Amino acid sequence: MSASTRPDGGFFGSSPFQGQFPQTRLRRNRQSTWSRALTQEKHLHVSNLIWPVFVIDGANHEEEVASMPGVFRRTIDRLLPALQEAETLGIPAVAIFPVTESRLKDPEGTEAINPENLVCRTVRAIKEAGLSLGVICDVALDPYTSHGHDGILRNGVIVNDETVARLCQQAVVQAQAGCDVIAPSDMMDGRIGAIRNALDEAQFQHVQLLSYAAKYASAFYGPFRDAVGSASQLGQGDKKTYQMNPANTDEAIREVAMDLAEGADMIMVKPGMPYLDIVHRVKATFGVPTFAYQVSGEYSMIAGAAEKGWVNRELVMLESLLAFRRAGADGILTYFAVEAARRLKNIQ
């Protein structure tokens, strides 16, 4: 058996023509800065970053999320200057997440379809400020329900079709406010096709659909639920009847295939780093724009460890984001977006 072949007769590596040591020394390409740059396979650019932001009601106020060091909830007037910096840095898009006051929440999430809700007012303010950022709006009911679930609850069960009807209304309201990308994260069956039809009937054919097609029932969402105030409502409940089982990969491919058939323009995998195998498989299978969400728990692990001095925040941040690109992600939703963009601008 040749040194370059496996016991099954195949070749190690991608080519049967790779040499062997000592004729081939792979360290030669790593020995200098210029050579490492020249042979780097994947690159992280500011254009790959999407910034998720939290908006609260009121004026001239911001507050740090305790479980997400360095991440803030901001009123619209405080958010706009932050978004102006993001635009200047070259970040292409922002994702809006509202912190809804408890008095506005009810079991059916009716505030989601209010044209004057916090998300719609934020979107209009961004557009009126003349910012060229793409605006992504989450479509799900959990910021608006008193029970913290993504859908309408009937006798302890999240009802699919009634929820989809409400999500269609929510999507149209957001599009009317000026949202560029509708991003359903609810994981109800059939919602992509229904929302696409609703948008088209309302003459919003140009509005894009970013489907959270492979969203898992993950323990990594905890700090996000703290940030938007849905953790206390959810209590001891879980979302396993509609979000995916973390053990499943084939199911993710089925979900993506269905959402693409229903009209999704882009696909999201959430969470990110623990599911890079899913990102890679989705990209390799479908070859469509594929995004990943570096979720709150991933951010908080890095930020918390950095605060303790256990890891280098900047280096781990950039390495983690590059890992998304290596797996095949075209876009990365990350709370590090502005920080990473500043660093990337410094080294470009």
Side-chain angles (χ1 to χ4, degrees), residues 332-348:
I332 309 159
L333 274 80
T334 175
Y335 302 99
F336 287 118
V338 169
E339 184 178 348
R342 289 173 184 152
R343 178 60 180 137
L344 290 169
K345 288 291 185 179
N346 288 340
I347 63 176
Q348 286 175 349

Side-chain angles (χ1 to χ4, degrees), residues 7-340:
D8 63 3
F11 293 96
F12 290 112
S14 59
S15 168
F17 305 110
Q18 293 182 23
Q20 297 298 308
F21 180 86
Q23 290 82 9
T24 297
R25 295 177 181 264
L26 295 180
R27 287 184 57 193
R28 276 197 286 262
N29 287 342
R30 305 174 195 148
Q31 65 186 342
S32 60
T33 300
W34 67 264
S35 183
R36 290 191 298 271
L38 197 62
T39 58
Q40 182 167 323
E41 298 173 23
K42 298 292 181 181
H43 294 82
L44 175 68
H45 301 284
V46 175
S47 59
N48 301 124
L49 305 176
I50 299 167
W51 190 26
V53 296
F54 300 112
V55 61
I56 56 176
D57 256 316
N60 194 31
H61 179 70
E62 66 180 40
E63 57 194 29
E64 189 172 25
V65 179
S67 56
M68 301 178 70
V71 172
F72 293 84
R73 307 179 189 95
R74 295 181 170 96
T75 55
I76 294 173
D77 58 326
R78 288 287 193 94
L79 179 61
L80 290 177
L83 296 183
Q84 288 169 348
E85 181 189 5
E87 180 183 77
T88 300
L89 288 168
I91 293 172
V94 59
I96 308 296
F97 295 96
V99 182
T100 307
E101 295 180 12
S102 296
R103 64 181 179 84
L104 298 174
K105 296 183 179 184
D106 64 30
E108 299 194 2
T110 53
E111 180 66 9
I113 62 173
N114 177 5
E116 296 301 321
N117 67 28
L118 184 55
V119 165
C120 291
R121 285 186 279 121
T122 303
V123 173
R124 285 196 293 269
I126 293 171
K127 297 301 180 179
E128 289 168 3
L131 297 177
S132 62
L133 288 165
V135 179
I136 301 171
C137 291
D138 180 66
V139 169
L141 300 185
D142 53 320
Y144 308 101
T145 55
S146 53
H147 45 71
H149 278 287
D150 295 40
I152 296 172
L153 194 62
R154 296 268 187 265
N155 300 316
V157 176
I158 300 298
V159 289
N160 192 91
D161 295 2
E162 286 184 67
T163 297
V164 169
R166 177 60 50 86
L167 298 175
C168 289
Q169 294 173 297
Q170 183 184 12
V172 170
V173 163
Q174 292 177 347
Q176 290 170 339
C179 179
D180 301 297
V181 181
I182 297 295
S185 65
D186 57 285
M187 288 299 288
M188 297 298 117
D189 289 335
R191 89 274 203 217
I192 297 301
I195 291 172
R196 182 72 272 164
N197 289 337
L199 290 171
D200 290 353
E201 289 173 4
Q203 304 302 309
F204 291 111
Q205 295 91 344
H206 62 283
V207 173
Q208 296 161 268
L209 273 181
L210 167 58
S211 172
Y212 286 65
K215 181 179 179 180
Y216 286 83
S218 172
F220 282 90
Y221 302 145
F224 176 92
R225 291 172 183 163
D226 290 340
V228 299
S230 65
S232 59
Q233 282 83 16
L234 192 60
Q236 297 302 312
D238 61 51
K239 303 187 178 186
K240 294 179 181 178
T241 66
Y242 47 100
Q243 294 177 356
M244 286 183 53
N245 185 338
N248 293 357
T249 58
D250 291 342
E251 184 182 12
I253 300 303
R254 294 182 65 191
E255 287 279 8
V256 171
M258 290 178 66
D259 286 1
L260 289 172
E262 291 178 19
D265 300 294
M266 299 165 283
I267 295 298
M268 178 81 77
V269 176
K270 182 180 181 183
M273 188 161 288
Y275 296 85
L276 290 183
D277 60 319
I278 309 300
V279 175
H280 178 74
R281 190 171 174 191
V282 167
K283 186 64 175 180
T285 301
F286 298 101
V288 297
T290 302
F291 294 174
Y293 200 141
Q294 186 178 49
V295 299
S296 58
E298 300 173 62
Y299 171 89
S300 294
M301 287 193 301
I302 295 172
E307 281 195 343
K308 291 284 189 180
W310 295 337
V311 300
N312 181 303
R313 179 182 174 112
E314 180 178 291
L315 294 181
V316 173
M317 169 188 71
L318 292 174
E319 184 178 340
S320 69
L321 296 174
L322 186 60
F324 285 97
R325 294 284 294 131
R326 190 184 66 242
D330 301 295
I332 309 159
L333 274 80
T334 175
Y335 302 99
F336 287 118
V338 169
E339 184 178 348

